[in-house]
Amino acid sequence: MTTPKTIGSKIKAWRAIKDLTQDELAKKAYLPYPTLVKIESDAVQNPSIDTVVKIAEGLGVTLDELIK
């Protein structure tokens, strides 16, 4: 498997590993569903660090694991 490049593709890959839907992850990360969709589709390429931290926590991974 090639390593995903964008933050959106990394989140999507981790979400698949954790077997979560976008809706489930949005709820776990306390984010609006459309925000997560935009980040995953790379419509938002530079989400705030606070948002990325929430997503990492929602996925149950460290920030380091998510962004590497």
Side-chain angles (χ1 to χ4, degrees):
M1 182 175 110
T2 58
T3 306
K5 301 289 183 255
T6 66
I7 188 67
S9 59
K10 290 175 184 181
I11 292 166
K12 199 172 191 174
W14 271 109
R15 188 171 55 74
I17 290 167
K18 299 290 185 167
D19 197 30
L20 293 169
T21 65
Q22 287 178 317
D23 191 49
E24 288 168 336
L25 177 55
K27 287 176 179 158
K28 282 178 170 272
Y30 302 102
L31 291 172
Y33 173 77
T35 301
L36 180 64
V37 172
K38 287 177 188 169
I39 294 168
E40 278 197 9
S41 66
D42 296 323
V44 174
Q45 295 200 355
N46 292 307
S48 73
I49 189 68
D50 288 345
T51 299
V52 178
V53 167
K54 286 180 180 180
I55 292 169
E57 288 173 353
L59 288 167
V61 299
T62 65
L63 184 59
D64 204 39
E65 287 174 309
L66 181 58
I67 60 177
K68 278 195 170 171

